Amino acid sequence: MSTVTRTDTQPPALHVADSHDLIRVRGARVNNLKDVSLEIPKRRLTVFTGVSGSGKSSLVFSTLAAESQRMINETYSTFVQGFMPTLARPEVDVLEGLTTAIIVDQQRMGADPRSTVGTATDVNALLRILFSRLGKPHIGPPSAYSFNTASVRASGAITVERGAKKAVKATYNRTGGMCTRCEGRGTVSDIDLTQLYDDSKSLNEGALTIPGYSMDGWYGRIFAGCGFFDPDKPIRTYTKRQLHDLLHKEPTKIKVDGINLTYEGLIPKIQKSMLSKDIEALQPHIRAFVERATTFAVCPECDGTRLSEGARSSKIGKISIADACAMEIRDLAAWLRDLDEPSVAPLIAALQHSLDSFVEIGLGYLSLERPSGTLSGGEAQRVKMIRHLGSSLTDVTYVFDEPTIGLHPHDIQRMNNLLLRLRDKGNTVLVVEHKPETIAIADHVVDLGPGAGTGGGTVCFEGTVEGLRTSGTITGRHFDDRASLKETVRKPTGTLEIRGASANNLRDVDVDIPLGVLAVVTGVAGSGKSSLIHGSIPAGEGVVSIDQSAIRGSRRSNPATYTGLLDPIRKAFAKVNGVKPALFSANSEGACPTCNGAGVIYTDLAMMAGVATTCEDCEGKRFEASVLDHHLGGRDISEVLAMSVTEAEEFFSTGEARTPAAHRILDRLADVGLGYLSLGQPLTTLSGGERQRLKLATHMAEKGGDRLVYVLDEPTTGLHLADVEQLLGLLDRLVDSGRSVIVIEHHQAVMAHADWIIDLGPGAGHDGGEIVFEGTPAELVAARSTLTGEHLAAYVGT
């Protein structure tokens, strides 16, 4: 047999399957994109930059990721597709070379009380198996350590067919770890009776303080006619039986004025009608009542651990599963490393890998028992990332939305390493980002703009980071911007004293926050900034706390309704056309009858996310056709609501449409950097940073504003480098007008611009919670005694 040897040393020709190394986009027209065409390299890190509203999200999320999702849905069976929403194809001519897209966004995790960091990342599942194998005493399978599983016992008879039929008695047991008192929630709720009634009055004197429960209405007739108690007798003089009937009586048939009715005690009645509802969906006055009347306390039976006594009694060494979940994750990882158990070595290795991922990504300060609803947007995004780090999938597209949000400059380097690791596994990584530290690691940069809204939507630059620097685009020009330290700082007009702050990881902190100046509170993620400020300076008299939480309101709410801008606009339309203002409200008389003024028809799919389709009658304009015949300055109401703030500012400043009241509100919106936002955009589609700036614009109009203390939580979130300058100008104007501004912030430009800096640390979690520096930015840079000081010194180039 002869052997064949190769004599040529040329590498084999590139296989045709390896030639698909680009994602090609041709003619994208989603939202404000203007026929965008570009090529994105696969298996590389591509960063999309541009001012807020330039079209980054429209291109990355609404075009690339949306089409990938639509194509994946089409691979399911026809039966499964029948239960899924039919996703519309994005408005784009050609999309080639797409791979499966995994979106890692900043949507906060569900606020289900039983969802924790451990359950959201499957770490709890591994921990439960570990305790079911090694825990002493042995109490049962993994489910016995789960606070989401209740214990069940059942018995009955089963029939076995073996010749003659024979019935066999059988019992069924499932051991769960759920605490029976709080049902795995860790807290028990109680009703404060003093918020339901004033016991010194009788019912007829208006004793009940529950919204809607007046004696003049329907409930009054039921209470007066039920015969269980005297409505003219003060409640404090009721017998035990009468008080029980008023508060707890089970549904009972009664007859009042010849009408058959059902009487039920106050507590079960309000439990069903108010307390069991989603608090965010309630009307403001009912929400305020529920928040007053309901008190939450740590469950006395499980001490807040959510677990049954059996689950808490089973230990590995001296550690129970409740102790393990309460530890900071980095301490739990250290405990695991010392656990030498060859019988479960693969399980410990898998658990160790997951916990090390938390530490590596800068979340080692969290504990597994932390409710997932309390995580910030940035923390939630990083927790989601952990699922993908250990994934064996490659050649997929990971899409990130500003992954550096909420990160101290010290932590951004870790995040960068993580993005590069995902890329090096052979994945395409697409990142929407503003921070120069992350743009700098890109293999490829796509800069959109040049402006926002209708002024954006085009590709201004494609290429390398070096090419971006010299490109002359807004991002290129501002890429190496560095704020300098102020030569003089303002003098405080007073102080806000905080004494003995000990919320979360704070260690009995005493600090004086200067008033009448721009004070910045900083420190690494998890050092205790939010605990100090939000825990010690409650929003109330004289304090306006502006965070990035969702704005309470429905999907019908938009910037025009939220800021009160719609009122002067409606009045202006009504005056010119000689009709009622209510006609120009999509929530009132002018609403399209088909979609009730929503502009879209919502289809609830029960087990899946609902789907919205544009109303065919009004074509999404929300108004009845006859309303659109009325014009102001040549525009109908739907065209005005489609304008951006900048366009509307110009429109309402002159001619027939001149409306000073509307112009003042629009000025404030432009002032906070929301000039690109359209007036009718649903509030549910705004980012956290946009919501915060919208709240700020609204609060700026409040009376007594010159004495207010503004507390802002990371106001630079979602701001382009060029917009940060505008924000600093706004903060200066607020302080110069006599207000006090306290900002929780990581951005070095804001730190450099501060009059006073309070730095927390030195680390995160139990390594933080102390004041490591107080003083001016210049003193911080000169001392370089903290991580923040080192990074700020490098930033200002000293």
XYZ file of all heavy atoms in Angstrom, residues 181-182 185-192 271 275 293-299:
141
model
N -46.053 30.698 56.542
C -46.654 31.958 56.997
C -46.627 33.017 55.890
O -47.628 33.666 55.609
C -45.902 32.450 58.242
C -46.303 33.852 58.719
C -47.634 33.834 59.457
N -48.145 35.172 59.683
C -47.827 35.944 60.713
N -47.000 35.502 61.649
N -48.349 37.143 60.835
N -45.452 33.232 55.258
C -45.348 34.321 54.267
C -45.409 33.796 52.835
O -45.315 34.574 51.886
C -44.044 35.106 54.464
S -42.561 34.118 54.180
N -42.441 34.782 50.529
C -42.209 36.196 50.187
C -41.221 36.880 51.131
O -40.659 37.907 50.799
C -43.527 36.974 50.199
C -44.430 36.638 49.029
C -45.699 37.477 49.092
N -46.486 37.325 47.883
C -47.379 36.374 47.690
N -47.584 35.465 48.627
N -48.064 36.302 46.556
N -41.052 36.335 52.339
C -40.116 36.938 53.290
C -40.730 38.056 54.114
O -40.189 38.458 55.132
N -41.867 38.584 53.655
C -42.549 39.644 54.418
C -44.028 39.286 54.532
O -44.568 38.569 53.680
C -42.447 41.017 53.719
O -42.977 40.906 52.395
C -41.015 41.508 53.655
N -44.646 39.777 55.585
C -46.097 39.591 55.734
C -46.733 40.972 55.727
O -46.165 41.930 56.242
C -46.443 38.839 57.037
C -46.105 37.387 56.925
C -45.733 39.451 58.243
N -47.897 41.061 55.107
C -48.563 42.364 55.040
C -49.714 42.389 56.042
O -50.326 41.369 56.323
C -49.083 42.641 53.633
O -50.025 41.669 53.279
N -49.946 43.544 56.561
C -51.043 43.716 57.506
C -51.770 44.999 57.145
O -51.225 45.846 56.439
C -50.482 43.806 58.931
C -51.528 43.376 59.959
O -52.668 43.103 59.537
O -51.199 43.325 61.148
N -53.004 45.140 57.627
C -53.772 46.347 57.317
C -53.843 47.214 58.572
O -54.205 46.732 59.651
C -55.175 45.987 56.807
C -55.047 45.296 55.444
C -56.047 47.224 56.681
C -56.329 44.777 54.885
N -53.476 48.480 58.417
C -53.530 49.441 59.521
C -54.976 49.938 59.643
O -55.448 50.733 58.822
C -52.570 50.597 59.214
C -52.542 51.635 60.319
O -53.299 51.465 61.296
O -51.778 52.613 60.201
N -59.561 43.985 50.094
C -58.515 43.055 49.641
C -58.733 42.745 48.166
O -57.802 42.767 47.367
C -58.591 41.722 50.431
C -58.067 41.795 51.835
C -56.559 41.609 51.936
O -55.850 41.741 50.953
N -56.068 41.350 53.128
N -56.314 45.928 47.256
C -55.009 45.435 47.693
C -54.437 44.348 46.793
O -53.221 44.161 46.739
C -55.089 44.919 49.140
C -55.640 45.908 50.176
C -55.575 45.320 51.564
C -54.879 47.223 50.137
N -52.438 52.326 54.037
C -53.164 51.324 54.821
C -52.422 49.999 54.963
O -52.661 49.250 55.896
C -54.536 51.071 54.187
N -51.520 49.692 54.019
C -50.839 48.399 54.055
C -49.475 48.543 54.709
O -48.686 49.392 54.318
C -50.657 47.845 52.626
O -51.880 48.010 51.913
C -50.285 46.391 52.638
N -49.218 47.724 55.701
C -47.897 47.744 56.336
C -47.224 46.395 56.086
O -47.874 45.349 56.143
C -48.012 47.974 57.857
O -48.855 46.960 58.413
C -48.584 49.331 58.167
N -45.934 46.440 55.755
C -45.184 45.206 55.505
C -44.168 45.014 56.626
O -43.476 45.952 57.012
C -44.455 45.279 54.161
C -45.373 45.206 52.990
C -45.866 46.366 52.399
C -45.787 43.988 52.485
C -46.743 46.313 51.330
C -46.662 43.919 51.415
C -47.138 45.077 50.831
N -44.093 43.804 57.139
C -43.128 43.507 58.196
C -42.396 42.221 57.843
O -42.910 41.380 57.089
C -43.858 43.339 59.524
N -41.182 42.063 58.349
C -40.417 40.830 58.114
C -41.196 39.679 58.728
O -41.717 39.776 59.849
C -39.013 40.941 58.753
C -38.278 39.610 58.686
C -38.210 42.026 58.063
N -41.293 38.575 57.993
C -42.061 37.419 58.465
C -41.472 36.920 59.789
O -40.284 36.584 59.841
C -42.019 36.307 57.416
S -42.785 34.777 57.981
